Amino acid sequence: MNENDITVNLAPGSKIDSVDFENLTFGNVFTDHMLICDYKNGVWEKPVIKPYEPFLIDPSAKVFHYGQAIFEGMKAYKDENDDVWLFRPDQNYERFNKSATRLAMPEVPENVFMGGLKKLVEIEKAWVKKGKGNSLYIRPFMIATGPGVLAAPALFYRFMIILSPAKSYYSGEVKVLIAEHFSRAANGGIGAAKAAGNYSAQFYPTKLANEQGYQQIIWTDDATHTKLEEAGTMNVFFRINDTLYTAPTSERILDGVTRKSLIDVAKREGINVEVRPVLVSELVEATENGTLQEVFGAGTAAVVNPIVGFSYKEKYYELPKQENSVALFLKEKLNNIQYKLAEDTFGWTVKI
């Protein structure tokens, strides 16, 4: 898609000078512009970049009644030469359309998603601040705008991209509760899709965990609650002795871009990685015999989120303090690729 294929209506001024970039709350501040592209009568209309603002929507829009809503999360980074880079956007694009298919929504053409994304980030380059930890969080999403309360897929949809400047994400010491009753997803369901409803369904059990002093839940399989699957809204890794274990992706587990990137970086660095189901009983046994070294979540917002302990069947297990954390080592290696501080031997970065 070239510039002429996108209608650009620039804001008369920028609010960037009123933003305190040193004290950002994740996902609360948005840039001056957004991208909108509507799907009507079986075709995608011309994308429009316009000032960030609210928009009108019919009260009977199917997103409100039947939850047709999907999204992605990705980031742009600025290097020391003031060049801006995306990280593996092709993976987010592919997953976005897999989510669309699963929710009976139209796939977004590559020229709309990638072309619109690159043009929008180019316009908002000033919002991407230099320095490790700084980034521009990118939120592509699609909702069903078609009216009517008949339980059927909508005929009209809106694809949008909004941008939010972000600082290094740190959530403090994270203690987790291993799920024994609630499930994040089930076989045959939409767990592998990045559907909005997956996240709202997590809020209540996470609220109960918060009330007990835990920040997140490690989700287990819906059938037996014996297999460890995800941590909060992130994929999860376990380091037992010197091997990293993580569950294979499935209908229940999101194919995380950070997850697959960390696996490849670990293998490149000579770290043994096994992708296989990990049992709760294995985790408890490894903690009791001293072989469990680390547990950490992996996702776009934090990249790596170390976990200091977990609770299972009302017993709390503290993890050992690490002198040489593999989690933080891998985070550093991945960040160095994203910020162009190290050679991208994988070809993951895309220049704006």
Side-chain angles (χ1 to χ4, degrees):
M1 173 178 286
N2 61 46
E3 203 168 311
N4 296 329
D5 294 324
I6 303 174
T7 300
V8 178
N9 301 320
L10 294 178
S14 176
K15 58 179 179 278
I16 192 168
D17 291 338
S18 67
V19 174
D20 182 357
F21 282 89
E22 294 306 311
N23 295 288
L24 292 168
T25 301
F26 184 79
N28 272 18
V29 174
F30 296 93
T31 66
D32 297 313
H33 299 90
M34 60 186 186
L35 179 134
I36 292 179
C37 189
D38 287 321
Y39 178 89
K40 295 179 180 177
N41 303 315
V43 295
W44 286 99
E45 298 185 341
K46 190 173 182 178
V48 178
I49 291 174
K50 60 182 292 188
Y52 183 97
E53 62 186 3
F55 59 88
L56 293 173
I57 188 169
D58 194 293
S60 72
K62 295 205 175 186
V63 64
F64 299 136
H65 302 274
Y66 302 113
Q68 278 185 292
I70 60 171
F71 69 94
E72 274 297 324
M74 49 206 296
K75 284 180 177 178
Y77 307 86
K78 184 171 279 184
D79 68 17
E80 290 304 306
N81 300 317
D82 285 328
D83 289 322
V84 174
W85 300 82
L86 301 174
F87 181 73
R88 306 192 77 178
D90 59 312
Q91 298 297 305
N92 295 97
Y93 169 66
E94 288 175 16
R95 188 172 66 184
F96 189 86
N97 277 339
K98 286 179 181 175
S99 298
T101 298
R102 183 61 184 83
L103 270 76
M105 304 169 83
E107 290 191 8
V108 176
E110 186 173 3
N111 63 342
V112 173
F113 187 104
M114 299 297 281
L117 169 59
K118 289 176 180 177
K119 183 62 181 174
L120 182 62
V121 173
E122 181 187 321
I123 289 170
E124 305 288 48
K125 262 184 155 180
W127 290 82
V128 195
K129 297 302 182 183
K130 274 198 295 197
K132 212 167 187 182
N134 296 320
S135 62
L136 185 66
Y137 183 76
I138 301 167
R139 173 54 65 91
F141 64 101
M142 179 163 51
I143 59 171
T145 52
V149 294
L150 176 68
L155 298 177
F156 305 147
Y157 296 86
R158 174 163 284 188
F159 169 69
M160 297 186 64
I161 305 176
I162 55 177
L163 309 174
S164 178
K167 289 287 289 179
S168 184
Y169 186 93
Y170 176 67
S171 56
E173 288 202 341
V174 175
K175 298 178 179 179
V176 298
L177 190 65
I178 293 180
E180 298 174 52
H181 171 69
F182 292 105
S183 298
R184 179 191 168 273
N187 281 334
I190 59 171
K194 212 154 170 61
N198 287 342
Y199 296 80
S200 57
Q202 295 182 37
F203 292 161
Y204 175 66
T206 303
K207 175 176 173 282
L208 297 181
N210 294 161
E211 289 168 357
Q212 295 179 58
Y214 300 96
Q215 286 71 46
Q216 290 179 358
I217 292 174
I218 290 187
W219 303 99
T220 50
D221 69 290
D222 63 299
T224 66
H225 293 292
T226 59
K227 298 172 186 171
L228 298 155
E229 300 206 320
E230 291 195 17
T233 58
M234 309 175 84
N235 294 112
V236 63
F237 286 81
F238 310 92
R239 179 185 161 210
I240 299 174
N241 287 320
D242 288 322
T243 298
L244 274 183
Y245 298 90
T246 192
T249 55
S250 67
E251 289 182 312
R252 301 186 308 276
I253 299 176
L254 192 71
D255 184 13
V257 178
T258 304
R259 170 193 175 275
K260 65 176 78 174
S261 303
L262 289 174
I263 290 171
D264 288 347
V265 170
K267 288 177 177 177
R268 185 191 71 182
E269 298 297 323
I271 297 167
N272 191 35
V273 182
E274 288 191 26
V275 178
R276 65 161 177 81
V278 181
L279 301 177
V280 181
S281 58
E282 286 183 81
L283 194 65
V284 171
E285 184 182 341
T287 309
E288 291 176 339
N289 67 25
T291 57
L292 180 66
Q293 306 299 319
E294 295 179 83
V295 179
F296 59 94
T300 299
V303 182
V304 162
N305 199 342
I307 291 166
V308 299
F310 67 90
S311 176
Y312 181 63
K313 293 195 180 297
E314 299 185 352
K315 183 176 179 181
Y316 181 70
Y317 300 85
E318 188 83 25
L319 271 68
K321 294 280 188 289
Q322 289 299 323
E323 290 282 320
N324 298 299
S325 165
V326 166
L328 298 182
F329 171 79
L330 291 176
K331 179 179 182 178
E332 177 85 359
K333 291 292 183 183
L334 193 57
N335 275 163
N336 285 347
I337 293 172
Q338 292 167 331
Y339 288 94
K340 306 302 285 185
L341 297 171
E343 184 186 358
D344 175 12
T345 57
F346 300 100
W348 287 339
T349 51
V350 176
K351 189 175 180 179
I352 292 295

